[in-house]
């Protein structure tokens, strides 16, 4: 079966589930999300190990990622009883205006390898409690994580299994999802290049985009800063998730008065980072996601060295 036919079948199943799910009162939808969060709590360590196995993140970061989904479940349960609309005075006698929010339909969700579970959780919990279904295209690097989360949803919501559909594949699968007229909201997390490629596809059909893309984050350290704390903050911001996230620190601006001393302390901080097996709780830096990523990093380091005025 071709990719287009697979997506067509998934769309049909998702649409049918949406029509059934939206008829549930929002607080009832919230109870399913509560059960989902409770099951995530029970299987937190197992899911975390799977994230570390596929995404190569250190285990503490993987556990934090699962906790993010659990927290989002808790938030969404409360939200299920707060989906208010406004009652507005009318200029016409004996009339009133009432605002009622309606679900959009099918949400297409493309996630990256670096947060294989959390980003889906942010999208799904909010989308589902508001009455929408979701089609999830995970990164090819982390598809086992996606299927594990789907398995948990199927367990807690056997009557609404098709509310979460997984559409496997690479770039072409993401493009197919972006093109489809029945995707009411297209949410994608990844590089800026990915966003520039997919956003026009959705815009062409006047669809809705929700994009979380790469960053170019800077740290600015002034003489008044707590230097020891700033060094720790810069180290974590730059080295966390092995530098493979949109919030990674990429630029550092230091006041000339503290430049020399700060750089010495920063070098020492980086030198003390523990590199190794991401399942070992002493490890602070695990491997990059792929050999391609490693080669890109080596080229970038050589480029930086050639431009550096002073090497510490």
């Amino acid at each position: 079966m071709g990719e287009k036919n697979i997506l067509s079948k998934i769309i049909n199943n998702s649409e049918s589930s949406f029509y059934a799910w939206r008829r549930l009162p929002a607080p009832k939808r919230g109870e399913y999300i509560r059960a989902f969060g409770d099951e995530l709590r029970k299987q937190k360590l197992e899911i975390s190990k799977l994230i570390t196995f596929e995404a190569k993140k250190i285990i503490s970061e993987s556990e934090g990622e699962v906790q993010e989904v659990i927290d989002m479940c808790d938030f969404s349960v409360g939200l299920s009883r707060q989906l208010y609309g406004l009652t507005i005075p009318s200029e016409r006698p004996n009339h009133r205006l009432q605002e009622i929010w309606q679900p959009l339909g099918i949400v297409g969700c493309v996630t990256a390898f670096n947060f294989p579970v959390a980003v889906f959780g942010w999208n799904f919990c909010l989308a589902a409690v508001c009455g929408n279904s979701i089609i999830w295209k995970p990164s090819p690097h982390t598809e086992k994580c996606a299927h594990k989360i789907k398995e948990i949803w199927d367990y807690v919501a056997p009557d609404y299994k098709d509310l979460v559909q997984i559409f496997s594949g690479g770039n072409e699968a993401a493009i197919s999802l972006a093109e489809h007229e029945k995707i009411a909201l297209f949410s994608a997390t990844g590089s800026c290049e990915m966003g520039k490629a997919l956003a026009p596809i959705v815009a062409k059909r006047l669809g809705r985009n929700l994009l979380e893309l790469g960053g170019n984050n800077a740290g600015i350290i002034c003489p008044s800063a707590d230097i020891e704390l700033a060094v720790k903050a810069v180290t974590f911001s730059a080295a966390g998730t092995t530098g493979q996230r949109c919030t990674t620190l990429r630029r550092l601006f230091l006041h000339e008065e503290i430049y020399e001393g700060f750089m010495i302390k920063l070098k020492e901080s980086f030198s003390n980072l523990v590199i190794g097996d991401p399942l070992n709780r002493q490890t602070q830096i695990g491997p990059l996601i792929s050999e391609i990523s490693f080669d890109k990093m080596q080229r970038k380091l050589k480029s930086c060295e050639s431009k550096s005025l002073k090497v510490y």
Side-chain angles (χ1 to χ4, degrees):
M1 186 182 293
E3 189 174 89
K4 295 288 186 182
N5 290 333
I6 293 173
L7 180 57
S8 179
K9 182 178 179 181
I10 289 173
I11 290 281
N12 289 338
N13 291 340
S14 187
E15 190 173 41
S16 296
S17 185
F18 160 66
Y19 286 130
W21 178 256
R22 69 174 296 176
R23 287 195 291 269
L24 280 179
K28 294 291 184 183
R29 298 195 294 258
E31 287 305 308
Y32 278 100
I33 299 301
R34 185 197 301 276
F36 182 53
D38 288 344
E39 193 61 29
L40 290 173
R41 282 182 173 89
K42 294 177 185 177
Q43 300 192 44
K44 181 177 177 179
L45 183 57
E46 181 183 349
I47 301 166
S48 300
K49 287 181 177 178
L50 184 57
I51 293 172
T52 293
F53 174 76
E54 283 202 301
K56 316 298 191 296
K57 298 168 73 164
I58 60 175
I59 188 66
S60 60
E61 287 195 25
S62 296
E63 288 173 336
E65 182 171 349
V66 180
Q67 188 61 47
E68 284 191 46
V69 186
I70 294 169
D71 293 344
M72 184 56 70
C73 287
D74 292 344
F75 175 77
S76 298
V77 172
L79 185 65
S80 70
R81 294 180 180 271
Q82 299 179 70
L83 299 176
Y84 310 134
L86 298 174
T87 299
I88 309 164
S90 172
E91 64 183 21
R92 299 178 65 186
N94 302 317
H95 282 74
R96 73 170 185 175
L97 303 176
Q98 185 177 9
E99 178 185 69
I100 302 176
W101 290 85
Q102 302 291 344
L104 291 172
I106 303 173
V107 175
C109 181
V110 176
T111 60
F113 73 87
N114 55 350
F115 288 92
V117 168
V119 173
F120 168 77
W122 304 338
N123 282 269
F124 170 66
C125 292
L126 294 177
V129 83
C130 291
N132 304 287
S133 60
I134 194 163
I135 297 175
W136 181 11
K137 195 216 81 66
S139 164
H141 290 292
T142 53
E143 288 188 349
K144 286 187 175 66
C145 292
H147 286 286
K148 179 62 179 177
I149 298 301
K150 162 72 171 162
E151 176 187 303
I152 292 172
W153 174 256
D154 290 353
Y155 173 73
V156 302
D159 295 332
Y160 298 98
K161 290 183 177 181
D162 287 344
L163 197 74
V164 178
Q165 297 273 298
I166 294 177
F167 182 40
S168 298
N171 294 340
E172 291 303 315
I175 292 171
S176 296
L177 205 57
E179 288 175 335
H180 208 288
E181 294 284 344
K182 288 191 175 180
I183 300 298
L185 173 65
F186 180 76
S187 173
T189 302
S191 67
C192 292
E193 290 74 18
M194 178 211 70
K196 290 176 181 178
L198 295 178
I201 296 173
V202 181
K204 186 176 181 179
R205 59 178 178 84
L206 300 181
R208 293 178 174 89
N209 264 322
L210 179 61
L211 302 175
E212 184 183 4
L213 308 176
N216 189 21
N217 309 291
I220 303 174
I221 315 297
C222 302
S224 59
D226 180 330
I227 299 302
E228 298 297 329
L229 182 61
V231 168
K232 290 180 181 179
V234 169
T235 302
F236 174 75
S237 182
T241 324
T242 325
Q244 300 176 116
R245 62 184 181 200
C246 57
T247 53
T248 294
L249 185 73
R250 287 169 170 79
R251 297 174 294 148
L252 183 61
F253 296 91
L254 299 172
H255 193 281
E256 59 185 0
E257 289 181 13
I258 61 172
Y259 181 84
E260 298 285 343
F262 193 95
M263 289 301 295
I264 291 171
K265 289 180 179 293
L266 188 61
K267 180 183 178 183
E268 181 182 1
S269 180
F270 269 83
S271 298
N272 290 332
L273 288 172
V274 180
I275 302 172
D277 179 359
L279 284 170
N280 185 330
R281 292 193 178 274
Q282 302 304 312
T283 298
Q284 296 169 300
I285 300 286
L288 292 167
I289 188 64
S290 67
E291 187 175 357
I292 293 174
S293 294
F294 175 80
D295 291 339
K296 285 183 178 179
M297 183 177 182
Q298 294 307 305
R299 289 195 297 270
K300 181 62 69 174
L301 287 172
K302 289 178 181 178
S303 173
C304 290
E305 287 174 358
S306 67
K307 297 174 184 176
S308 178
L309 297 177
K310 188 171 184 179
V311 178
Y312 284 82

